[in-house]
């Protein structure tokens, strides 16, 4: 197994892993949009023998956080059933969260999970340290509710330090600490992905098109960002 | 205003309304307003142009172009008219023409920022880097205060390899903001990294490292920073520092293979004797309790007892934890017979130990079986399912044992299905997979596998129904539509291959056409990012995206689809038909009628579904009247591909797949060149065919198919009248001096074929090839060669299936092949 940052060459493989494992799917442009906007936040796990993608985390920064606090969001995370119990989900998440803090100043990370997906809920809560923030009613297209979960990332924020020689011991301790949290749970589940269409208008009721995922792509984002 | 047709005040304000309506996609309203203006000013070019633009958005492209052409005639000097003309071409993806129209528009309005920006988008899309640089220069001079205008210009220079100018442009802007940079100014720090990459690529590693260090403190993308630094240090031979750099990276991500490779290099480990690297891995294995890479990598280079000890602890740990992928993780080591033997004997000994401890009959009352027990049995089953060590009976035995102990473990049934698949029993394989699926209906992975196995068994209706359990049926009542929208490559490819096996050419070509369009869409996807990425400021990602787009069709997904599609078109060429279904000709009258009736029914059904979908979408649109969007989607008028299969030019259709395939994979994949020969031979393009042959021989002189291609080409070419190929002098020289000798023009083909057969006497594919060649040359022995191809040790059931196909082709009784194949692979339905 090899865990590495996303490159555009990996996008078709990630899309394939997603539609193999999860009911929430997106066309390639949506993955490309993540890559083009936050290239350092997404990671994948590759089976080195076959060179196939067996897991990925697709992540972003919340563009206009309603609470004004910069934070990351996990759009989708999944691991092939054949490659579970290797701790891949946790390893992928850790890389992504670290990048959220370092490159984007994220204070916490959020995600959605189906209320019926108890296995994923357990993984997020017991292994990955997430807490349930609230229930979002009818978040999914089929009418199911979602838990909105979040994890505080301050444990990853390092004091202003010279990275130079500081590697070694300090980080080792930290690694140990988080290791305990994880322990033997491991992922045993599909994990979960964001509802593709749900990111529409809702938030502030403003008249802005913010449909992502299915029908639309980046062209509609331009309206949000305004012209240069 | 350059327009020669100024409007009266009231009409001018109406014209503004038209622009607004177009931008907000209120096309009907816009069209009405156009008509209002045109009533008073029937020849007003700019209004006509806008009308054309709106009509195009409503899906009436031809009409739109006619109007736009008229508009140009009416007002040749209006930039609006030319701009619209450009937009129409752009929407039809005729980018060259669009560029021409924009340039005309700029002649009349050279300062228009909008047109300049649009032109730049097209130039970068078309990879007209020099044009892009010029346009970007103008834009930058217009608004030098905007950073992205400088960055875009630098990108242009960078992409033509002009590193010096690229760097200069970036530095110039940096100079203007000295010292005024915020810690979280993403754009700035990213542009610094981009500049560093340019310096690095220019080859001046020393200076690149220096620059990198100067920006290190504030760089936000730490992973990129540390990776780049490590690479520079390694390049510069500063090994001690490089070691530290890679250690730092490994502490951040101990699962990254490239970091270990870098560290090995920095420590001067000899790649042919990596034993000395073991302590590196021990260190990380100890430091990171749950790290897999540090434990797995040494298995690649350790030997003998060292290997045995390491493998033992690796396997025990994984099996104890119940990791289903344990076998997958070590499978690559099976290429080495000694390692294969050690691994097997280890796991086998675990099993024996446990069997001793276990009472003979548990009857299910005993203590729950341990993870270790179950996954050891699972591992052994996979061992016996592996192609080098296959023994179906044993594999099933171990699975059965494991299932008794853990009847709810899905993986066991999945592997059972796989074992049957490998034995060619596609029906049982499919059923077993479905059993597994029913154990966890909420798991899409197992659902996906079931559909795949159904397709392998040519149960297309079942497969789509299975897929439908997870597709978004609220959006698309037809699961296939959802799969197409979500660009589900694997399904479309497997479906195409299944239809082709059944010689349903229409559906085969339909799936391939859908796949071709997905790749086109992916290429098209980049368009929006030409502006988006500049705004976002993620420049390295943008440049990487451009490079990826240029090699999009080098992806194995494309290669597989292209080879399949081309094969189908070749088949269509060789089996011309008017019905669009070559197999129909072979059916009895009654069966043919039955088939046609079913086809008609399917077609009606598919069309109804498409119409229902369109209606539903329209209804949706009307519901959201406030955000009224009059965009129309074009309806699919040929859902079963009947029209596709009626093509008069199958080879030209094949070329659409072939050209990018050859460009992207033609240097490394002999199969690509061999299929190119098949297409070009049929197109009677001898020069191209021979060039492909030459290339194929360079890539892999032993590749199956080269000999057959040689023989067939020699036959074709020698039948030509001497003055036939109308070639230029240069081409003729190439043809005669370099290419013709490839065909062994004077050699004794019969003797060479015998040699060929002897050299490859163990290879089923080469033997089938020999059978075909013998047939082509009118030689005896084609039946022997074919029968041998089913009997040799290396043959698998798929070779049997292929042999049956070839039997039909060369005129050997299928029954004979089936008899032998059926004796060997009794579970394969095709041999019964």
């Amino acid at each position: 197994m090899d865990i590495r940052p996303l490159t555009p060459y990996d996008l078709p493989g990630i899309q394939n892993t997603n539609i193999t494992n999860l009911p929430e799917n997106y066309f390639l442009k949506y993955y490309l949009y993540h890559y083009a906007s936050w290239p350092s936040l997404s990671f994948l796990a590759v089976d080195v023998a076959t060179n196939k993608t067996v897991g990925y985390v697709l992540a972003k920064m919340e563009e206009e956080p309603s609470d004004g606090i910069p934070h990351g969001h996990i759009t989708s995370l999944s691991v092939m059933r054949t490659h579970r119990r290797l701790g891949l989900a946790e390893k992928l998440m850790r890389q992504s969260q670290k990048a959220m803090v370092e490159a984007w100043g994220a204070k916490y990370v959020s995600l959605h999970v189906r209320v019926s997906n108890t296995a994923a809920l357990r993984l997020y809560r017991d292994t990955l340290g997430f807490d349930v923030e609230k229930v979002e009613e009818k978040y999914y297209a089929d009418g199911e509710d979602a838990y909105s979960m979040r994890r505080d990332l301050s444990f990853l924020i390092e004091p202003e330090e010279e990275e130079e020689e500081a590697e070694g011991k300090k980080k080792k301790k930290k690694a140990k600490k988080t290791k305990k949290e994880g322990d033997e749970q491991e992922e045993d589940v599909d994990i979960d992905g964001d509802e593709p269409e749900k990111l529409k208008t809702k938030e502030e009721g403003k008249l802005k098109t913010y449909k992502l995922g299915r029908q639309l792509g980046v062209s509609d984002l331009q309206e949000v960002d305004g012209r240069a | 205003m350059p327009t020669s047709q100024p409007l009266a005040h009231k009409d001018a304000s109406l014209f503004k309304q038209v622009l607004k309506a177009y931008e907000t996609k209120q096309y009907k309203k816009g069209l009405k307003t156009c008509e209002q203006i045109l009533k008073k000013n029937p020849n007003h070019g700019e209004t006509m142009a806008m009308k054309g633009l709106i009509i195009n958005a409503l899906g009436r492209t031809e009409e739109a172009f006619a109007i736009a052409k008229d508009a140009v005639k009416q007002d040749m000097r209006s930039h609006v008219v030319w701009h619209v003309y450009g937009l129409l071409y752009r929407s039809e993806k005729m980018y060259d023409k669009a560029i021409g129209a924009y340039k005309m528009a700029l002649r009349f309005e050279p300062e228009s920022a909008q047109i300049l920006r649009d032109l730049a988008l097209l130039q970068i899309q078309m990879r007209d880097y020099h044009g892009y640089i010029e346009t970007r220069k103008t834009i930058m001079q217009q608004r030098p205060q905007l950073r992205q205008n400088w960055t875009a210009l630098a990108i242009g220079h960078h992409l033509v390899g002009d590193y010096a100018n690229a760097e200069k442009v970036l530095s110039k802007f940096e100079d203007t903001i000295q010292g005024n940079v915020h810690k979280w100014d993403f754009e700035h720090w990213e542009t610094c990294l981009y500049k560093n990459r340019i310096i690095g690529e220019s080859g001046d590693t020393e200076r690149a490292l220096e620059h990198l260090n100067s920006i290190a403190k504030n760089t936000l993308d730490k992973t990129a920073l540390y990776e780049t630094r490590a690479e520079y240090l390694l390049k510069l031979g500063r090994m001690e520092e490089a070691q530290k750099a890679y250690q730092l990276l490994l502490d951040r991500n101990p699962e990254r293979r490239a970091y270990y490779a870098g560290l090995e290099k920095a420590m001067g480990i000899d790649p042919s004797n990596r034993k000395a690297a073991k302590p590196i891995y021990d260190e990380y294995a100890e430091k990171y309790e749950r790290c897999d890479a540090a434990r797995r990598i040494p298995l690649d280079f350790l030997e003998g007892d060292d290997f045995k000890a390491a493998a033992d602890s690796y396997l025990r740990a994984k099996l104890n934890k119940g990791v289903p992928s344990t076998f997958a993780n070590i499978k690559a080591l099976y290429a080495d017979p000694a390692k294969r033997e050690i691994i097997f004997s280890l796991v086998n000994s675990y099993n024996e130990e446990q069997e001793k401890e276990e009472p003979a009959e548990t009857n299910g009352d005993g203590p729950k079986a341990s993870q270790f027990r179950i996954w050891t049995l699972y591992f052994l089953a996979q061992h016996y399912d592996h192609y080098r060590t296959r023994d179906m009976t044993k594999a099933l035995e171990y699975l059965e044992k494991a299932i008794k102990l853990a009847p709810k473990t899905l993986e066991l049934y999945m592997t059972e299905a796989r074992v049957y698949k490998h034995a060619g029993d596609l029906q049982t394989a499919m059923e077993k997979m479905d059993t597994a699926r029913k154990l966890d209906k909420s798991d899409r992975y197992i659902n996906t596998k079931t559909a795949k196995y159904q397709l392998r068994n040519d149960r297309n209706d079942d497969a789509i129904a299975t897929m439908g359990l997870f597709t978004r049926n609220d959006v698309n009542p037809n699961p296939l539509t959802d799969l197409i929208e979500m660009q589900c490559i694997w399904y479309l490819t497997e479906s195409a291959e299944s239809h082709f096996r059944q010689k349903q050419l229409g559906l085969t070509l339909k799936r391939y056409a859908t796949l071709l369009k997905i790749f086109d869409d992916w290429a098209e996807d980049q368009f929006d990012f030409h502006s988006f990425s500049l705004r976002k400021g993620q420049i390295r990602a943008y440049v990487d995206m451009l490079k990826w787009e240029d090699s999009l069709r080098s992806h194995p997904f494309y290669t597989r689809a292209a080879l399949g599609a081309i094969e189908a078109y070749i088949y269509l060429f060789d089996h011309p038909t008017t019905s669009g279904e070559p197999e129909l000709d072979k059916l009895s009258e009654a069966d043919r009628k039955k088939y046609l009736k079913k086809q008609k029914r399917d077609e009606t059904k598919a069309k109804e579904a498409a119409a229902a979908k369109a209606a539903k979408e329209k209804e949706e649109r009307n519901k959201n009247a406030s955000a009224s969007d009059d965009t129309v989607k074009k309806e699919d008028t040929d859902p079963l591909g009947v029209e596709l299969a009626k093509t008069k030019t199958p080879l030209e259709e094949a070329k659409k797949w072939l050209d990018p395939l050859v460009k992207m994979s033609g240097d490394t994949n002999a199969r690509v060149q061999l299929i190119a020969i098949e297409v070009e031979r049929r197109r009677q393009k001898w020069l191209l065919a021979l060039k492909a042959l030459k290339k194929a021989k360079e890539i892999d002189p032993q590749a199956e198919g080269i000999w057959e291609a040689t023989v067939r080409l020699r036959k074709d070419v020698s039948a030509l009248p001497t003055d036939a190929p109308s070639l230029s002098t240069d081409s003729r020289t190439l043809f005669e001096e370099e290419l013709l000798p490839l065909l062994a023009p004077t050699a004794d083909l019969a003797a060479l074929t015998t040699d060929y057969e002897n050299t490859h006497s163990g290879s089923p594919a080469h033997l089938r090839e020999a059978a075909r060649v013998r047939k082509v040359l009118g030689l005896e022995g084609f039946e022997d060669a074919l029968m041998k191809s089913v009997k040799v040790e290396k043959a698998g059931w798929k070779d049997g299936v292929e042999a049956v196909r070839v039997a039909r082709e060369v005129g050997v009784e299928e029954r004979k092949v089936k008899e032998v194949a059926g004796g060997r692979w009794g579970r394969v339905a095709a041999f019964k």
Side-chain angles (χ1 to χ4, degrees):
Chain A
M1 225 54 55
D2 190 16
I3 290 184
R4 52 183 177 77
L6 180 65
T7 75
Y9 297 86
D10 303 314
L11 296 172
I14 287 188
Q15 185 186 42
N16 180 59
T17 307
N18 165 273
I19 203 164
T20 298
N21 293 342
L22 296 179
E24 286 79 29
N25 312 125
Y26 324 93
F27 44 53
L28 198 87
K29 197 173 180 181
Y30 190 56
Y31 295 90
L32 201 49
Y33 153 71
H34 277 75
Y35 174 73
S37 308
W38 309 278
S40 62
L41 295 190
S42 296
F43 287 82
L44 69 157
V46 180
D47 183 333
V48 283
T50 58
N51 205 21
K52 291 212 167 110
T53 307
V54 297
Y56 67 87
V57 58
L58 185 72
K60 56 183 270 187
M61 291 298 293
E62 206 56 74
E63 297 209 73
E64 291 167 13
S66 48
D67 55 7
I69 301 170
H71 66 272
H73 183 81
I74 304 298
T75 300
S76 185
L77 166 68
S78 95
V79 174
M80 291 282 197
R81 183 165 188 117
T82 43
H83 287 76
R84 299 206 189 130
R85 303 185 69 80
L86 281 167
L88 292 179
E90 190 192 346
K91 287 168 182 172
L92 289 163
M93 281 286 244
R94 186 170 173 83
Q95 294 301 319
S96 177
Q97 290 170 4
K98 203 168 173 53
M100 284 173 186
V101 171
E102 285 176 351
W104 296 94
K107 301 288 186 248
Y108 66 90
V109 54
S110 64
L111 54 80
H112 292 115
V113 60
R114 283 178 183 272
V115 289
S116 67
N117 195 348
T118 47
L121 180 66
R122 263 207 313 276
L123 171 87
Y124 287 133
R125 200 182 48 206
D126 304 341
T127 307
L128 300 175
F130 280 79
D131 295 315
V132 174
E133 171 80 5
K134 60 180 179 214
V135 174
E136 278 189 38
E137 274 177 43
K138 299 209 168 96
Y139 173 78
Y140 292 97
D142 54 15
E144 190 172 342
D145 297 348
Y147 288 122
S148 173
M149 303 185 80
R150 66 160 71 176
R151 181 189 198 190
D152 187 273
L153 293 179
S154 51
F155 76 100
L156 284 169
I157 300 169
E158 293 178 18
E160 295 284 328
E161 62 177 358
E162 269 300 331
E163 71 281 347
E164 290 295 292
E165 310 293 319
E167 17 119 7
K169 287 117 223 164
K170 212 188 299 167
K171 281 191 185 142
K172 194 164 139 191
K173 248 184 242 153
K174 263 183 200 143
K176 276 255 164 67
K177 203 175 119 211
T178 42
K179 211 182 300 161
K180 283 228 178 69
E181 293 171 25
D183 225 16
E184 288 308 304
Q185 255 288 327
E186 302 280 311
E187 77 271 13
D188 215 357
V189 286
D190 287 338
I191 329 205
D192 231 308
D194 260 6
E195 176 60 29
E197 267 187 315
K198 217 45 181 210
L199 295 161
K200 278 184 245 178
T201 51
K202 241 182 159 183
E203 282 289 305
E204 291 144 283
K206 272 192 233 157
L207 218 172
K208 64 178 181 188
T209 24
Y210 202 64
K211 292 187 230 170
L212 295 177
R214 291 209 156 226
Q215 273 68 25
L216 301 160
V218 183
S219 56
D220 284 79
L221 291 169
Q222 293 179 341
E223 294 170 21
V224 177
D225 286 359
R227 285 258 164 190
Chain B
M1 280 302 257
T3 175
S4 51
Q5 302 174 306
L7 286 172
H9 178 71
K10 198 182 151 217
D11 289 334
S13 77
L14 280 177
F15 188 75
K16 271 186 196 143
Q17 283 179 30
V18 173
L19 295 178
K20 181 127 196 265
Y22 175 74
E23 265 166 34
T24 51
K25 296 182 179 177
Q26 299 182 33
Y27 299 134
K28 278 174 199 148
K29 190 177 157 205
L31 208 52
K32 238 189 216 160
T33 319
C34 281
E35 298 297 357
Q36 218 177 320
I37 305 173
L38 288 171
K39 224 180 197 171
K40 262 198 264 167
N41 317 275
N43 294 324
H44 189 249
E46 295 186 345
T47 307
M48 288 166 77
M50 282 311 295
K51 184 180 159 188
L53 195 58
I54 292 172
I55 282 181
N56 184 56
L58 289 167
R60 283 138 59 193
T61 306
E62 253 174 69
E63 197 185 334
F65 269 96
I67 297 172
K69 221 178 199 169
D70 263 357
V72 171
K73 266 190 216 147
Q74 296 298 340
D75 196 355
M76 291 268 285
R77 301 174 55 78
S78 155
H79 72 278
V80 173
V81 165
W82 283 109
H83 193 182
V84 165
Y85 214 28
L87 286 170
L88 286 184
Y89 277 125
R90 174 174 145 182
S91 80
E92 285 302 291
K93 305 196 174 103
M94 295 158 81
Y95 295 132
D96 284 327
K97 297 235 170 178
I99 288 176
Y102 284 156
K103 283 186 176 164
M104 282 302 285
L106 283 171
R107 264 171 61 179
F108 303 115
E109 188 77 2
E111 300 289 304
S112 165
Q114 178 69 45
I115 301 175
L116 281 166
R117 262 203 311 264
D118 278 357
L119 175 63
L121 296 180
L122 289 170
Q123 286 169 322
I124 194 83
Q125 177 80 6
M126 295 303 286
R127 304 298 190 259
D128 172 8
Y129 297 132
H130 292 285
Y132 182 74
I133 291 172
E134 287 316 307
T135 310
R136 274 292 164 188
K137 234 180 228 162
T138 314
I139 295 174
M140 188 273 283
Q141 280 154 1
Q142 276 182 5
R143 292 189 69 185
Q145 67 277 29
L146 207 61
R147 176 171 212 146
Q148 56 171 269
N149 289 343
W150 293 79
T151 311
L153 179 57
I155 292 171
H157 287 306
H158 178 203
L159 291 174
V160 294
D162 182 354
Y163 302 109
N165 267 317
E167 190 188 340
K168 211 163 85 193
V169 169
L170 292 177
S171 302
K172 237 182 184 161
F173 183 82
E174 265 177 49
D175 290 345
T176 65
I177 47 161
Q178 273 304 334
N180 275 327
V181 184
H182 188 266
K183 179 173 184 294
W184 292 110
D185 185 338
F186 308 105
E187 191 181 6
H188 175 78
W189 299 115
E190 169 59 26
T191 314
C192 287
L193 270 181
Y194 178 54
K195 181 168 142 184
N196 184 260
R197 182 193 275 193
I198 291 169
I199 302 172
E201 282 180 18
S202 79
D204 191 347
T205 311
E206 193 80 50
R207 196 162 65 82
L209 179 62
E210 216 172 277
H211 174 258
L212 190 67
N213 286 334
S214 76
I215 58 168
K217 191 167 176 289
N218 291 305
T219 296
L220 295 168
D221 185 348
K222 297 291 183 203
T223 305
L225 167 71
Y226 298 143
E227 283 184 358
T228 314
R229 179 187 287 162
E231 278 159 31
Y232 288 159
L233 288 168
L234 203 55
K235 238 186 201 164
L236 291 168
R238 288 158 65 169
M239 294 308 185
E240 236 169 84
E241 290 163 276
Q243 280 176 35
K244 279 202 182 130
Y246 279 111
Q247 283 160 351
L248 172 62
L249 283 164
L250 278 169
D251 280 322
R252 292 168 56 89
N253 178 6
E255 298 292 356
R256 181 87 169 97
R257 299 289 176 117
Y259 300 161
Y260 290 104
L263 183 55
E264 279 196 37
K265 255 192 215 155
M267 297 188 66
I269 303 286
D270 173 4
S272 62
N273 179 21
R274 291 170 66 197
K275 210 180 151 181
K278 183 73 174 22
I280 302 177
Y281 294 96
D282 288 344
E283 185 192 331
Y284 285 98
E286 205 214 328
K287 204 162 164 187
Y288 301 106
E289 207 181 306
R290 302 180 55 198
C291 174
D292 179 69
R295 293 174 170 81
R296 172 62 186 80
I297 297 170
L299 301 182
D300 290 337
F301 59 77
L302 293 175
E303 307 278 347
D305 286 343
D306 293 338
F307 174 80
K308 191 173 175 181
D312 186 33
S313 80
Y314 184 81
L315 291 166
R316 277 183 191 274
K318 287 275 183 290
L319 293 172
N320 257 322
K321 213 163 144 200
V323 175
S325 64
T326 307
F327 185 77
N329 283 355
I330 57 89
K331 196 168 64 177
L333 301 168
Y334 268 41
D336 178 338
K339 290 188 179 180
R340 191 196 312 159
E341 190 45 49
I342 291 173
I343 290 170
F344 172 70
S345 70
L346 281 170
V347 181
N348 200 39
S349 74
Y350 308 155
N351 182 46
E352 281 168 0
E353 273 165 39
Q354 295 172 80
E355 268 181 355
K356 261 185 244 151
E357 289 167 19
E358 205 169 78
E361 280 294 319
T362 44
N363 284 332
D365 297 333
K368 212 176 143 223
S370 69
Q371 292 278 330
F372 189 54
R373 177 88 188 105
I374 292 158
W375 297 105
T376 300
L377 290 168
Y378 181 65
F379 187 103
L380 289 172
Q382 286 177 300
H383 167 86
Y384 283 117
D385 187 45
H386 180 73
Y387 75 99
R388 290 189 183 92
T389 46
R390 187 161 294 162
D391 181 336
M392 184 183 183
T393 318
K394 282 191 179 155
L396 289 176
E397 257 174 45
Y398 283 111
L399 285 171
E400 205 180 311
K401 251 187 222 173
I403 287 172
K404 252 188 202 154
L405 296 169
K408 284 188 181 151
T409 307
L410 242 78
E411 281 76 7
L412 301 172
Y413 301 93
M414 278 163 56
T415 304
E416 230 183 347
R418 226 165 151 227
V419 171
Y420 281 102
K421 185 184 82 172
H422 288 152
D425 186 347
L426 301 176
Q427 177 69 23
T428 310
M430 179 188 99
E431 287 163 8
K432 291 276 176 192
M433 199 55 94
D434 202 41
T435 310
R437 183 185 67 79
K438 285 177 184 145
L439 285 175
D440 186 358
K441 289 186 180 170
S442 68
D443 184 330
R444 191 175 191 177
Y445 179 85
I446 183 72
N447 185 81
T448 301
K449 279 279 165 194
T450 307
K452 184 171 155 189
Y453 276 49
Q454 286 165 333
L455 286 176
R456 289 287 168 93
N457 195 30
D458 295 337
R459 297 290 287 266
N460 307 69
D461 292 345
D462 291 344
I464 196 67
T466 304
M467 291 303 280
L469 297 171
F470 277 88
T471 50
R472 289 286 293 269
N473 306 329
D474 55 326
V475 184
N476 293 308
N478 179 359
L480 185 66
T481 317
D482 190 67
L483 293 172
I484 292 169
E485 257 176 41
M486 292 300 107
Q487 303 170 334
C488 188
I489 299 271
W490 82 261
Y491 184 87
L492 293 165
T493 308
E494 290 279 353
S495 172
E497 288 170 0
S498 167
H499 286 303
F500 188 56
R501 273 194 298 274
Q502 300 167 72
K503 293 296 172 288
Q504 296 161 348
L505 266 289
L507 283 166
T508 306
L509 297 180
K510 183 73 190 176
R511 297 290 174 269
Y512 282 126
T514 306
L515 284 161
L516 192 68
K517 172 141 195 318
I518 290 176
F519 281 94
D520 287 347
D521 287 346
W522 287 357
E524 195 56 34
D525 280 348
Q526 63 179 304
F527 201 101
D528 291 338
F529 290 95
H530 299 319
S531 45
F532 180 82
S533 285
L534 281 178
R535 273 205 314 282
K536 281 271 168 184
Q538 294 295 331
I539 306 306
R540 288 171 306 144
Y542 172 62
V543 172
D544 285 343
M545 181 204 75
L546 292 180
K547 287 182 187 154
W548 166 66
E549 288 283 8
D550 287 342
S551 64
L552 189 60
R553 294 173 182 84
S554 67
H555 198 281
F557 287 169
Y558 182 83
T559 311
R560 179 170 164 187
L563 289 170
I566 296 165
E567 201 188 334
Y569 279 116
I570 290 174
Y571 184 90
L572 199 62
F573 178 82
D574 291 348
H575 302 78
T577 158
T578 45
S579 61
E581 296 292 339
E583 286 297 285
L584 273 187
D585 305 346
K586 288 188 204 148
L587 296 176
S588 72
E589 187 61 29
D591 282 348
R592 193 180 311 160
K593 273 196 182 144
K594 212 168 100 194
Y595 181 86
L596 285 172
K597 222 167 145 189
K598 183 181 184 299
Q599 197 184 38
K600 193 93 207 159
R601 211 168 49 230
D602 288 353
E603 197 174 9
T604 318
K605 241 167 63 188
K607 277 193 180 152
E608 275 169 11
K613 190 179 174 245
K616 201 178 165 203
E617 275 171 6
K618 200 172 164 198
E619 197 183 310
E620 280 295 311
R621 272 202 308 278
N622 291 342
K623 248 193 269 171
N624 307 325
S626 61
S628 86
D629 177 342
D630 301 334
T631 320
V632 274
K633 267 193 193 162
K634 282 170 192 159
E635 214 179 291
D636 187 354
T637 53
D638 185 23
L640 300 180
V642 179
E643 295 305 318
L644 287 174
K646 282 185 189 160
T647 175
K648 295 273 185 315
T649 52
L651 297 178
E652 301 315 308
E653 295 300 316
K655 280 286 269 183
K656 288 184 191 164
W657 284 95
L658 182 64
D659 289 343
L661 179 67
V662 170
K663 193 170 162 210
M664 289 300 151
S665 311
D667 286 339
T668 49
N669 190 340
R671 261 190 85 193
V672 166
Q673 296 297 346
L674 284 162
I675 208 159
I677 297 172
E678 291 308 307
V679 174
E680 302 303 355
R681 202 163 64 73
R682 286 168 175 80
R683 294 175 72 226
Q684 307 190 350
K685 302 286 182 195
W686 311 113
L687 192 65
L688 288 174
L690 282 167
K691 275 185 180 166
L693 179 62
K694 184 164 184 244
K695 196 87 207 183
K697 279 188 159 175
E698 280 165 18
I699 298 168
D700 178 8
Q702 303 302 323
E704 70 208 48
I706 288 186
W707 180 236
E708 185 182 354
T710 308
V711 170
R712 285 187 190 273
L713 272 172
R714 180 166 138 184
K715 213 176 157 214
D716 292 340
V717 171
S718 62
L720 295 175
T722 41
D723 57 343
S726 51
L727 299 169
S728 67
T729 327
D730 284 353
S731 304
R732 182 166 287 278
T733 317
L734 176 75
F735 190 74
E736 282 171 1
E737 290 177 9
E738 268 198 62
L739 298 176
L740 281 183
L742 291 172
L743 300 179
T746 56
D748 175 357
L749 292 181
L752 283 178
T753 302
T754 307
D755 286 352
Y756 186 78
E757 210 176 308
N758 290 336
T759 316
H760 300 285
S761 62
S763 158
H766 287 88
L767 287 166
R768 288 196 298 275
E769 183 190 354
R772 285 194 302 258
V773 168
R774 285 183 177 279
K775 186 71 185 180
V776 173
L777 293 173
L779 298 171
E780 298 280 300
F782 58 87
E783 184 171 336
D784 287 349
L786 186 60
M787 295 310 285
K788 209 169 141 199
S789 80
V790 197
K791 290 174 186 160
V792 290
E793 199 201 330
K794 266 176 91 181
W797 68 270
K798 282 183 186 164
D799 290 304
V801 173
E802 282 299 303
V804 173
R805 204 167 57 83
V806 175
R808 231 174 285 154
E809 202 182 305
V810 300
V812 170
E813 271 184 76
E814 282 179 40
R815 181 185 52 82
K816 287 188 188 165
V817 179
K818 282 183 180 173
E819 227 171 71
V820 179
R824 206 171 157 184
W825 304 286
R827 295 175 178 275
V828 179
F831 304 143
K832 282 173 188 157

